[in-house]
Structure formats: C-alpha cells, structure tokens
C-alpha cells in the first residue's frame, strides 16, 4: 500500500454554480460516490466530510447530503435532473435557448407585463422550492454528519452569508430549509432575491463561486486522516470572440465565475511554503515553552495544506479532457442555459468520465484502491 495511506479518509466536495453546466457535477458526483463504494469494499474507512456549493452546485449538494446513503443520493440526483430536463425537440438547434421561456421545476417567466417598469427580475423561482422539497430529505440533511454549506449574498449589506447544517459562530443559525438552497441560486437580474427572515439574498457566486475554505474547515485535525479536496471547475478558459450581446454576457460569466479557483490554485504553493516554515519554527520551540493554544493553532494551520492537494476536475484541463476521451472543442456559450435532455445527458456523461479518470488516479496514488483497479 502507498506510504501516503492513512487509517481514515475524509473527502471534501466543492460544487460551483453554472446553470445547466451543473449536469457535469451530476455525472462527477456519480463517479465519486461509486469510487467511494469501491474504497469501502477495499476495506478502508471513507467519509464525505463536507459538501459545499453555490447556485446549481448548492442544489446538487442538497441532493447528496439530504439522502439516506450514496445509492439514495444517486437516485435523487437522477430524478432531479430528469425533472429539470426540457426534453428533446425536432428543432434541436433551438434547444440552447428554450430555457429563456422557463424550465419546469426551476423557474417560469413573469406575466405581469403591466408592471414591467417596476420589475427587478425576469423570472419566478417558486417552482424550485417545490422541486427541492420533492428531491431533498431536509431532515436527513440537517442531521447528517457531513458538513453542508451553501452561500448567498445579503442584498442590503453585501455580506457573503453561509447557511450550514452544523452551526458556527458568525453564520446564519438554524435549520436548513428549501429557501436557503434557493437563496444560493438567486442570480440577478434573471432571478429574484430570496427572503429569509428579515433579510433578502442573491446568489453566492456573485462574491465567490467556489467555496473552498468552508470545505477545508470541515476536515478533522486528526493526524491519522488522509484528506482529499475535490473541486469541479465548470468553466473553460478559451473561446472565440463573442458575436452578439448574449454571447458577451455568457463570456463575462465564464471569466467571472471560473477563474477564481485557478487563482486559488496558483496561491496554494505560497501557502504551503509558509506552512512549512511555521512547522519548522514550531519544531524548534522547546517542549517546556509549548502551550495548548500554540499546538491548537498549528493544527488549525496545517489543515490549509489541503490547498496544495486540490483535486481539480477542470474542463479547461486539456490533458484530462484527452484522457477521458472527450473533445477539447468548447461548447457553445449558451450551454449555461441548455437544459435539453440531450445537453444534460451529454454533460452528465462527460462529467462522469472526467471525474472517474481524475479520481481513480488520485485514489490509487493515495493507496485507497488497488493499482490495477
């Protein structure tokens, strides 16, 4: 077995927002859960320490944590995406844009045109509240040992707020309900802000579309634990120049929501170097001078070494795309809103293949699966 292998394995999963691109996450989650089953059968103790998400990632995350077990999570995701599917049509060329007229189970157009001058959004997202109730077991989600964290932005204060099933000081406390998940996906100007108590919230991706820190904080500090942080990056780097205003907006979204993770990855080496320095200095402190507080702070800091081991399932990774047997050609910019059955299935399949290739390699390198698996 690989020398990196430890007695226990904790996995953190971070899911971005990206509309219909969330179907990539659907497939990737299926691959992850299957491989976790394989690790269990190999006799290792593997747990999902945290699932964090934004927007469509928050919805996918709720299906995973709000489930009885891994098989139930897969079933709930399949049923969710089946409900969100717009089906296939003989005029398939228009599938990308059909979502402009609404997505069953997600959102529908407003029809109060007489009041259009007072509109602050174009759609009504109340259907998603019912969809969440149908596909997420919120009692299981709130009782789960897996940390569930979704983010939203307070419309008035601009504060990034976290909704958790495990309360922490400074965050919104209380039971996670459908409106908390919906708040994380309330992206303006298409969607309305979601009221919770006396506050209203927009999509958390406006501030941070990849909540890495919340997943890292959920890892235990035990020395005998192997920690693996899995992140799905839904956005490609390269694309032809936009040809119209819709494509300009699509490209803006890609650059805004996809590049933060890549910047975090570039900073990981700097963070690790600082932590190595801290560890070296700590080792030189005489035992008599060590205090419980110093040891606690060192343990807390060591968690952030996980940043150096991000397992990034990135659609912009040409080597990974080739290894998964997929085309490197970028999808149309309108893929954000392509909820056609064919589009969803294509992305689900691609997400599964990308994640299986990447995770199989990572898990084997950690000694979690047989080398010939």
């Amino acid at each position: 077995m690989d020398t990196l292998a430890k007695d226990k394995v904790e996995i953190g999963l971070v899911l971005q927002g990206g509309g219909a691109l969330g179907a990539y996450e659907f497939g990737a989650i299926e691959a992850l859960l299957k491989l976790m089953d394989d690790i269990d059968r190999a006799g290792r103790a593997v747990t999902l320490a945290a699932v964090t998400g934004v927007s469509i990632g928050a919805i996918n995350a709720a299906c995973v944590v709000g489930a009885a077990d891994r098989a139930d999570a897969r079933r709930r995701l399949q049923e969710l995406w089946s409900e969100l599917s717009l089906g296939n049509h003989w005029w398939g060329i228009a599938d990308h844009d059909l979502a402009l007229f609404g997505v069953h189970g997600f959102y529908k157009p407003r029809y109060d045109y007489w009041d259009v001058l007072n509109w602050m959004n174009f759609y009504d997202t109340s259907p998603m509240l019912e969809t969440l109730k149908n596909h997420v077991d919120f009692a299981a989600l709130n009782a789960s040992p897996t940390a569930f964290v979704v983010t939203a932005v307070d419309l008035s204060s601009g504060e990034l707020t976290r909704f958790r099933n495990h309360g922490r000081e400074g965050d919104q406390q209380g039971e996670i309900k459908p409106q908390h998940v919906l708040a994380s996906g309330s992206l303006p100007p298409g969607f309305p802000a979601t009221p919770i108590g006396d506050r209203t919230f927009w999509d958390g991706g406006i501030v941070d579309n990849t909540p890495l820190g919340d997943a890292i904080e959920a890892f235990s500090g035990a020395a005998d634990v192997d920690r693996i942080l899995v992140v799905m990056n839904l956005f490609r780097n390269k694309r032809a120049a936009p040809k119209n205003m819709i494509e300009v907006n699509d490209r803006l979204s890609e650059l805004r929501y996809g590049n933060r993770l890549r910047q975090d990855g570039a900073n990981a080496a700097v963070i690790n170097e600082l932590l190595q320095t801290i560890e070296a200095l700590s080792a030189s402190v005489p035992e008599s001078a060590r205090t419980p507080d110093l040891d606690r702070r060192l343990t807390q800091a060591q968690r952030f070494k996980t940043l150096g081991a991000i397992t990034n399932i990135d659609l912009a990774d040409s080597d990974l795309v080739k290894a998964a047997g997929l085309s490197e050609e970028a999808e149309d910019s309108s893929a954000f809103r392509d909820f056609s059955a064919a589009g969803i299935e294509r992305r689900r399949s691609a997400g599964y293949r990308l994640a299986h290739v990447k995770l199989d390699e990572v898990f084997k390198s950690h000694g979690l699966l047989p080398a010939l698996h």
Side-chain angles (χ1 to χ4, degrees), residues 58-138:
I59 295 169
N60 283 331
C63 285
V64 174
V65 183
D69 51 34
R70 292 172 200 150
D72 187 38
R74 289 191 286 266
R75 178 186 64 80
R76 289 177 183 276
L77 281 168
Q78 289 164 0
E79 292 178 352
L80 167 75
W81 282 93
S82 178
E83 181 166 350
L84 297 182
S85 169
L86 290 174
N88 293 315
H89 307 87
W90 66 269
W91 62 87
I93 193 170
D95 280 350
H96 284 183
D97 296 317
L98 283 176
L100 293 172
F101 302 99
V103 174
H104 176 75
F106 196 159
Y107 58 90
K108 58 186 178 183
R110 294 179 60 168
Y111 296 109
D112 55 334
Y113 302 120
W114 59 87
D115 196 35
V116 67
L117 294 179
N118 292 315
W119 282 14
M120 291 191 295
N121 53 276
F122 299 114
Y123 298 100
D124 172 3
T125 53
S126 60
M128 178 52 72
L129 291 173
E130 293 305 312
T131 296
L132 288 165
K133 291 175 185 176
N134 291 336
H135 299 296
V136 177
D137 182 341
F138 281 91

Side-chain angles (χ1 to χ4, degrees), residues 11-14 49-52 147 149 164 211-220 229-231 303 306:
I11 295 175
L13 177 62
V14 182
V51 184
T52 68
V149 187
R164 305 176 181 268
L212 291 175
D214 299 299
I216 293 170
E217 288 179 3
F219 286 124
S220 71
L229 184 63
V230 180
V231 185
R303 291 188 192 182
T306 307

Side-chain angles (χ1 to χ4, degrees), residues 65-312:
V65 183
D69 51 34
R70 292 172 200 150
D72 187 38
R74 289 191 286 266
R75 178 186 64 80
R76 289 177 183 276
L77 281 168
Q78 289 164 0
E79 292 178 352
L80 167 75
W81 282 93
S82 178
E83 181 166 350
L84 297 182
S85 169
L86 290 174
N88 293 315
H89 307 87
W90 66 269
W91 62 87
I93 193 170
D95 280 350
H96 284 183
D97 296 317
L98 283 176
L100 293 172
F101 302 99
V103 174
H104 176 75
F106 196 159
Y107 58 90
K108 58 186 178 183
R110 294 179 60 168
Y111 296 109
D112 55 334
Y113 302 120
W114 59 87
D115 196 35
V116 67
L117 294 179
N118 292 315
W119 282 14
M120 291 191 295
N121 53 276
F122 299 114
Y123 298 100
D124 172 3
T125 53
S126 60
M128 178 52 72
L129 291 173
E130 293 305 312
T131 296
L132 288 165
K133 291 175 185 176
N134 291 336
H135 299 296
V136 177
D137 182 341
F138 281 91
L141 186 153
N142 284 289
S144 176
T146 298
F148 172 83
V149 187
V150 297
T151 61
V153 179
D154 186 303
L155 178 58
S156 297
S157 70
E159 174 189 3
L160 184 66
T161 303
R162 292 165 174 81
F163 301 114
R164 305 176 181 268
N165 62 347
H166 301 166
R168 290 173 61 90
E169 184 178 354
D171 289 337
Q172 286 288 105
Q173 304 297 313
E175 180 183 9
I176 296 293
K177 297 180 180 179
Q179 57 263 40
H180 296 100
V181 181
L182 179 60
S184 183
S186 298
L187 184 64
F191 298 159
T194 297
I196 298 177
D198 60 354
R199 303 168 69 186
T200 53
F201 295 92
W202 272 341
D203 191 303
I206 295 171
V207 173
D208 184 1
N209 200 43
T210 314
L212 291 175
D214 299 299
I216 293 170
E217 288 179 3
F219 286 124
S220 71
D224 63 343
V225 173
D226 202 356
R227 304 176 188 87
I228 300 174
L229 184 63
V230 180
V231 185
M232 190 80 188
N233 198 336
L234 303 175
F235 300 90
R236 299 179 186 267
N237 272 337
K238 298 179 181 179
R239 183 174 298 286
K243 300 181 182 65
N244 54 54
M245 286 301 294
I246 293 178
E247 291 188 5
V248 166
N249 186 67
D250 290 342
R251 185 56 173 156
L252 177 62
S253 295
E254 282 185 321
L255 297 174
R256 175 185 294 157
Y257 298 128
N259 283 340
R260 170 67 183 270
L261 174 60
R262 297 182 182 109
Q263 293 166 359
D264 285 344
N267 291 333
V270 175
I271 293 173
N272 277 347
E273 185 174 347
L274 289 172
L275 286 170
Q276 289 168 2
T277 302
I278 291 171
E279 289 171 344
L281 291 172
S282 176
S284 68
V285 176
E287 189 66 32
S288 59
R290 299 183 72 91
T291 65
D293 182 62
L294 177 62
D295 290 338
R296 179 188 60 78
R297 291 166 64 187
L298 177 61
T299 299
Q300 288 290 105
Q302 286 172 329
R303 291 188 192 182
F304 290 93
K305 290 177 72 175
T306 307
L307 276 173
I310 291 176
T311 299
N312 186 6

Side-chain angles (χ1 to χ4, degrees), residues 291-354:
T291 65
D293 182 62
L294 177 62
D295 290 338
R296 179 188 60 78
R297 291 166 64 187
L298 177 61
T299 299
Q300 288 290 105
Q302 286 172 329
R303 291 188 192 182
F304 290 93
K305 290 177 72 175
T306 307
L307 276 173
I310 291 176
T311 299
N312 186 6
I313 304 168
D314 190 349
L315 270 75
D317 183 341
S318 60
D319 291 336
L320 176 59
V321 170
K322 288 179 183 177
L326 301 172
S327 171
E328 291 187 81
E329 185 176 343
E331 287 194 283
D332 293 337
S333 68
S334 53
F336 294 101
R337 54 184 177 274
D338 177 12
F339 282 89
S340 67
I344 287 174
E345 177 53 29
R346 183 171 62 251
R347 292 182 197 95
R348 185 208 65 79
S349 177
Y352 184 94
R353 292 163 68 179
L354 289 165

